[in-house]
């Protein structure tokens, strides 16, 4: 409680996700987290519209990097903090401030997309409560983290600050980022997914050919004109990007509860987990390159235990680059899904990439399967 009685004023904030467009759905604006509570206590000053510096959208803002950094440097009485945030995007209506809508900007100052670690910077000026106008030494980062999380958890509790660090006045969360990593979760299987998975992965009823998807990934990796993988509204000056990684990996489902057989096979004598692909595939599919539900159907026909659901196979698409175009990741996942179910071939992938037109790619994947995993900076940060 003593931490929460410390008044401070927030002067500016900017987010790191240049691929912020991935965080929005439909016609929503790009992702723009800012550290403001929609109804903060009187001890915390509100953001004014001019205080917020949304810079996470890849909207050709490269030219503004120097001017924004200089503006931050001029705030000589403030401390700039680098803030890592984790959030469930399910109940957000978008990223930037919108009238009568709950947004990350309005709470933490996307729609549907989640973040394991998104990053923004914020300038905080600590003002004396007893002597208005007197500027006090900056708070310790841990104090800022605890205080902000207290107010966030009093509301919906779907946003949390996970790390705070002091940085130089001219440090910019977006323009200093060296690399961004996104994951996309796919659940493959004929049954509808559990209600616990409803807003955390894209359900694909068909079997997925993971080897065909991997070949498609190899075509897209590298330095290309990704005009076919940018959505209308993209304001990036150039469609050329370098995609450092695009992979598809089969993983355990998040909601994984082992059967009695699996419990015996997956645990070593010392109690630690032993990853056994055979034990997982034994109850969720054949484990072949082209997924199969034959074994699952057989169990069901032979009297599967009442109330037990067949498991889906879970795949994670990982995309890594310094920056992405508007909806680029979701458009690439939509393409990989089409390849995985056999609607497109690797030759089609090359044709779509070479077309360099926004209408060439199949529909993009929904937002709720997408996770911003990490924003990488220079080790000195």
């Amino acid at each position: 409680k003593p931490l929460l009685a410390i008044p401070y004023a927030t002067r500016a904030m900017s987010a790191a996700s240049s691929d912020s467009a991935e965080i929005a759905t439909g016609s929503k604006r790009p992702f723009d987290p800012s550290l403001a509570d929609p109804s903060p206590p009187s001890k915390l000053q509100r953001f004014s519209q001019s205080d917020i510096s949304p810079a996470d959208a890849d909207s050709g803002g490269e030219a503004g990097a120097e001017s924004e950094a200089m503006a931050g440097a001029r705030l000589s009485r403030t401390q700039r903090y680098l803030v890592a945030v984790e959030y469930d995007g399910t109940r957000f209506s978008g990223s930037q401030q919108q009238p009568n809508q709950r947004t990350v900007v309005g709470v933490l100052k996307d729609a549907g997309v989640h973040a394991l670690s998104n990053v923004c910077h914020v300038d905080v000026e600590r003002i004396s409560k007893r002597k208005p106008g007197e500027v006090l030494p900056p708070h310790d980062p841990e104090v800022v983290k605890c205080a902000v999380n207290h107010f966030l958890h009093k509301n919906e509790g779907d946003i949390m600050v996970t790390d705070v660090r002091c940085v130089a006045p001219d440090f910019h969360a977006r323009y200093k980022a060296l690399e961004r990593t996104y994951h996309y979760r796919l659940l493959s299987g004929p049954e509808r997914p559990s209600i616990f998975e409803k807003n955390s992965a894209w359900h694909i009823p068909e079997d997925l050919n993971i080897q065909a998807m991997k070949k498609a990934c190899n075509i897209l990796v590298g330095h290309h004109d990704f005009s076919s993988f940018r959505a209308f509204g993209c304001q990036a000056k150039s469609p050329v990007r370098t995609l450092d990684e695009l992979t598809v990996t089969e993983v355990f489902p998040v909601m994984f509860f082992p059967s009695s057989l699996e419990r015996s096979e997956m645990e070593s004598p010392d109690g630690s987990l032993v990853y056994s692909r055979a034990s997982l595939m034994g109850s969720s599919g054949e484990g072949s390159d082209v997924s199969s539900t034959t074994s699952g159907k057989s169990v069901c026909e032979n009297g599967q235990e009442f109330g037990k659901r067949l498991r889906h196979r879970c795949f994670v698409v990982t995309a890594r680059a310094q920056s992405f175009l508007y909806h680029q990741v979701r458009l690439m996942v939509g393409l990989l899904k089409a390849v995985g179910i056999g609607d497109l071939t690797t030759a089609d992938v090359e044709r779509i990439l070479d077309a360099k037109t926004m209408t060439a790619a199949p529909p993009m994947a929904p937002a709720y399967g997408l996770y911003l995993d990490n924003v990488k900076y220079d080790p000195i940060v």
Side-chain angles (χ1 to χ4, degrees), residues 16 119 173 176-181 320 374-379:
V119 184
K176 291 289 186 179
L178 303 177
E179 184 178 273
R180 296 165 176 86
T181 302
R320 180 171 54 86
N374 183 53
V375 181
K376 183 179 179 181
Y377 295 96
D378 188 280

Side-chain angles (χ1 to χ4, degrees), residues 124-158:
V124 177
E125 186 178 71
R126 184 183 177 191
I127 306 297
S128 173
K129 181 180 179 181
R130 295 179 177 83
K131 298 180 180 180
E134 179 183 352
V135 179
L136 301 177
H139 290 304
D140 181 83
E142 188 65 21
V143 172
V144 176
K145 173 184 171 181
C146 293
V148 174
N149 277 335
H150 174 85
F151 293 113
L152 293 176
H153 294 169
K154 285 172 62 177
N155 289 279
E156 300 292 339
D158 46 8

Side-chain angles (χ1 to χ4, degrees), residues 188-190 207-208 250-251 253 256 262 276-299 309-315:
S188 173
D207 298 335
L208 290 174
E250 184 167 10
V251 299
F256 176 79
E262 290 165 338
S276 172
R277 180 180 174 84
S279 66
L280 174 63
M281 292 300 98
S283 59
S284 63
E286 294 285 334
S288 61
D289 292 340
V290 180
S291 78
S292 171
T293 57
T294 302
S295 60
K297 291 178 181 177
S298 175
V299 172
R309 300 183 54 145
L310 296 179
R311 288 190 187 135
H312 294 85
R313 297 184 69 183
C314 185
F315 301 91

Side-chain angles (χ1 to χ4, degrees), residues 13-151:
M13 173 164 287
S14 184
S17 173
S18 71
D19 178 24
S20 58
E22 295 304 327
I23 314 244
T25 55
S27 60
K28 303 294 184 185
R29 297 294 299 278
F31 175 79
D32 175 24
S34 301
L35 209 54
D37 191 284
S39 55
S42 58
K43 293 174 183 176
L44 292 179
Q45 294 188 14
R46 283 181 178 269
F47 284 96
S48 69
Q49 198 63 18
S50 60
D51 290 333
I52 303 171
S53 176
D56 59 317
D58 194 351
S59 55
E62 293 87 346
E66 184 176 352
S67 60
E68 289 197 36
M70 290 301 294
R74 285 197 296 270
L75 299 172
S76 57
R77 301 197 306 171
T78 67
Q79 172 63 56
R80 179 160 289 191
Y81 296 94
L82 189 64
V83 181
V85 293
E86 173 185 84
Y87 52 85
D88 179 346
T90 302
R91 292 182 289 179
F92 292 105
S93 298
S95 56
Q96 297 187 2
Q97 201 89 345
Q98 299 179 43
N100 304 317
Q101 296 290 337
R102 183 171 185 264
T103 66
V104 176
V105 175
V107 178
L108 226 202
K109 248 264 128 123
D110 169 331
V113 174
H114 318 289
L116 306 177
S117 181
N118 200 353
V119 184
C120 57
H121 70 250
V122 57
D123 294 322
V124 177
E125 186 178 71
R126 184 183 177 191
I127 306 297
S128 173
K129 181 180 179 181
R130 295 179 177 83
K131 298 180 180 180
E134 179 183 352
V135 179
L136 301 177
H139 290 304
D140 181 83
E142 188 65 21
V143 172
V144 176
K145 173 184 171 181
C146 293
V148 174
N149 277 335
H150 174 85
F151 293 113

Side-chain angles (χ1 to χ4, degrees), residues 241-279:
R241 292 290 185 272
T242 300
L243 185 59
D244 298 310
E245 178 185 353
L246 186 64
T247 57
V248 184
T249 309
E250 184 167 10
V251 299
F252 276 105
V254 171
M255 298 297 294
F256 176 79
F257 302 103
S259 66
S260 57
L261 176 61
E262 290 165 338
R263 289 195 293 273
S264 62
E265 291 182 348
M266 295 172 60
E267 192 171 290
S268 65
D270 64 359
S272 60
L273 176 68
V274 176
Y275 179 86
S276 172
R277 180 180 174 84
S279 66

Side-chain angles (χ1 to χ4, degrees), residues 191-269:
E191 285 196 359
R192 294 177 65 87
S194 162
I195 59 171
F196 299 106
E197 294 276 20
K198 182 175 62 174
N199 295 311
S200 66
W202 186 15
H203 175 226
I204 311 297
E206 300 91 344
D207 298 335
L208 290 174
N209 185 333
I210 190 172
Q211 289 303 315
M213 295 170 72
K214 287 178 178 290
K215 291 177 182 177
C217 288
N218 292 335
I219 295 171
L220 297 176
V221 168
H223 190 71
H224 304 290
D225 180 334
F226 283 99
S227 291
S228 296
F229 298 93
R230 67 193 300 193
F232 290 102
C234 180
Q235 300 177 32
K237 292 182 176 180
S238 171
V240 177
R241 292 290 185 272
T242 300
L243 185 59
D244 298 310
E245 178 185 353
L246 186 64
T247 57
V248 184
T249 309
E250 184 167 10
V251 299
F252 276 105
V254 171
M255 298 297 294
F256 176 79
F257 302 103
S259 66
S260 57
L261 176 61
E262 290 165 338
R263 289 195 293 273
S264 62
E265 291 182 348
M266 295 172 60
E267 192 171 290
S268 65

